[in-house]
Amino acid sequence: MRVNLTVRKVQSLKPPQHGQADYWDDSVPGFGVRVAASGRKSWTVYYRYHKRKRRLSLGTFPTVPLVDARERARAALNKVAAGEDPAAEKILSREAGTLGELVTEYLQRHAKRHKKSWRNDQWMIDRHMLPRWRHVKARDVSRPDVRALIESVADGGAPILANRLLALVRKMFNFAIEREWRSDNPCQGLRPPGVEKGRDRVLSDGEIKKIWDALEPEQPPMSALFRLRMLTAQRGGEVRRMRWENVDLKTGWWTIPAEFAKNGIAHHVPLNAPACEILKELREWQETRLEEVNDGRRIKKWEPKKFSEWVFPSPRGDEPFQWEQRAVGRIRAVSGVDFRPHDLRRTVATLLTEHQDADRFILKRILNHVDRDITGVYDRNRYDAQKRTALDAWGRRLRSIVEEKDVGSNVVPDLE
């Protein structure tokens, strides 16, 4: 039925006894109100798209006033005239995934397949992104939303982390564009807030001792994690993902599988005497701790836990430990030394060449840096003996530092 739709007219429309009745506006073609037997009155607009009839709901009366419903109808009809289908757009918007769903897709289809550091992505997502945007449609996250997130992290005293977070958000929305979750990237035009400078920080002997001593009150896993980084000069992520099956304490070797190495090349790390001692003590502590936990679980008739494959397991699940920033803060406070974890690796590398006369070629092998020399393509020697000599000497020097023994660079105390 075609009528002159006014507010009073709509208010006066009586519901049918069964089904529904449509009343069409005589001023806007296709626009009308549908009255259901329940008394519900819904605004609607009909149109043709590719010769097919389409219906678009515009809201209910009186929540949506007549004047607004009429404007919505005109806007929809203008889209039809421009070759668009507003009903299909509404369905797409309603079914568009949330950021929480995008995160799952990104981690499974991209990060875990192509990034060895995907756990860092997971941590930043869980810590900073999901609390704000978990239930927000991915297509609705705006540039001001991203700016607010990044600035909150930077203003909270972590500008470099804010840089990393911005890079992750940008990468994730590029992935969203590839997967057709949205057509643009809300990070476009945003600049990293933190000013990054290359660090050349090398710890002094006194600072090394202070950090070593500050590890004493830490739980054994955390203490072992940092001390092994100081003894082996390996990357933090590679130490955190150490597995017991890759550690041979009898021969003193740790193998970093290619899938865990940053450069994708399997690496054999000599474990000097202090490193082996730390790992033996850590395993004994973990076995004792596991027995205590399982005693409690047996009382409650719970399934006992199994010994973790990871040397540094996460307390929250069967994954390796992921993030030590809180511990770094504690160690800084106790030691009084302003350092970053990567300074440990730089310090060991520097002292190996300064005091242990390690050849830079061997140092490159210890650090597992890629050999860019064309000769490296043909030379498949791992130089294990030379690596062990250098790290054994470093282990003795480190012990002399933490025990405050006055030894020169050419004289090292016996480990016993």
Side-chain angles (χ1 to χ4, degrees), residues 119-136:
R119 290 183 177 85
N120 291 341
D121 288 3
Q122 178 82 71
W123 182 87
M124 287 189 285
I125 287 168
D126 292 344
R127 180 71 177 272
H128 297 288
M129 293 172 62
L130 290 183
R132 283 178 177 246
W133 299 338
R134 183 187 301 274
H135 302 297
V136 177

Side-chain angles (χ1 to χ4, degrees), residues 361 365 376 378-387:
F361 178 82
R365 292 297 185 275
Y378 298 94
D379 184 5
R380 310 317 293 172
N381 184 4
R382 297 200 308 244
Y383 295 89
D384 285 348
Q386 294 89 334
K387 289 189 297 185

Side-chain angles (χ1 to χ4, degrees), residues 4 38 40 48 89 94 121 128 179 193 230 273 346 372 414:
N4 179 24
S38 64
R40 178 187 175 91
R48 286 184 178 274
E89 289 181 6
R94 184 173 64 245
D121 288 3
H128 297 288
R179 307 295 295 185
M230 298 173 77
R346 186 186 305 105
R372 304 292 182 184
D414 188 80

Side-chain angles (χ1 to χ4, degrees), residues 8 13 40 46 110 123 139 162 211 230 237 292 297:
R8 182 171 294 181
L13 294 175
R40 178 187 175 91
Y46 271 92
H110 177 77
W123 182 87
R139 64 185 298 166
I211 292 173
M230 298 173 77
E292 293 172 351
R297 294 178 70 88

Side-chain angles (χ1 to χ4, degrees), residues 202-359:
V202 175
L203 302 171
S204 67
D205 287 4
E207 290 174 325
I208 292 173
K209 175 172 172 50
K210 288 179 180 178
I211 292 173
W212 188 276
D213 291 345
L215 292 168
E216 200 62 39
E218 292 288 328
Q219 286 289 307
M222 192 60 65
S223 173
L225 176 65
F226 280 90
R227 286 176 173 174
L228 284 173
R229 291 182 67 168
M230 298 173 77
L231 284 162
T232 65
Q234 300 309 301
R235 299 178 179 93
E238 294 167 348
V239 177
R240 289 194 300 270
R241 292 192 292 273
M242 182 186 291
R243 291 187 297 189
W244 286 113
E245 67 179 41
N246 299 134
V247 175
D248 189 340
L249 293 176
K250 291 182 179 180
T251 60
W253 285 100
W254 164 34
T255 301
I256 303 176
E259 63 267 26
F260 289 163
K262 182 178 180 180
N263 59 12
I265 301 174
H267 184 37
H268 297 270
V269 182
L271 295 173
N272 49 35
C276 287
E277 184 72 21
I278 287 171
L279 285 168
K280 288 176 183 177
E281 292 178 357
L282 177 61
R283 183 162 186 116
E284 291 173 1
W285 180 87
Q286 289 176 341
E287 289 173 345
T288 301
R289 177 63 181 150
L290 180 65
E291 190 59 36
E292 293 172 351
V293 169
N294 282 336
D295 284 343
R297 294 178 70 88
R298 278 189 283 268
I299 294 173
K300 297 179 180 179
K301 298 183 179 179
W302 291 354
E303 188 74 19
K305 283 190 172 184
K306 295 181 180 179
F307 192 83
S308 176
E309 64 174 315
W310 305 103
V311 176
F312 303 102
S314 168
R316 296 184 178 87
D318 192 22
E319 291 286 335
F321 185 76
Q322 297 181 25
W323 207 255
E324 72 265 17
Q325 287 306 310
R326 290 184 180 178
V328 172
R330 293 193 301 269
I331 297 165
R332 285 197 191 111
V334 173
S335 67
V337 179
D338 181 17
F339 78 101
R340 296 179 187 173
H342 195 71
D343 294 342
L344 303 177
R345 178 171 160 92
R346 186 186 305 105
T347 295
V348 177
T350 302
L351 296 185
L352 274 170
T353 55
E354 280 188 357
H355 297 284
Q356 311 311 138
D357 295 328
D359 186 276

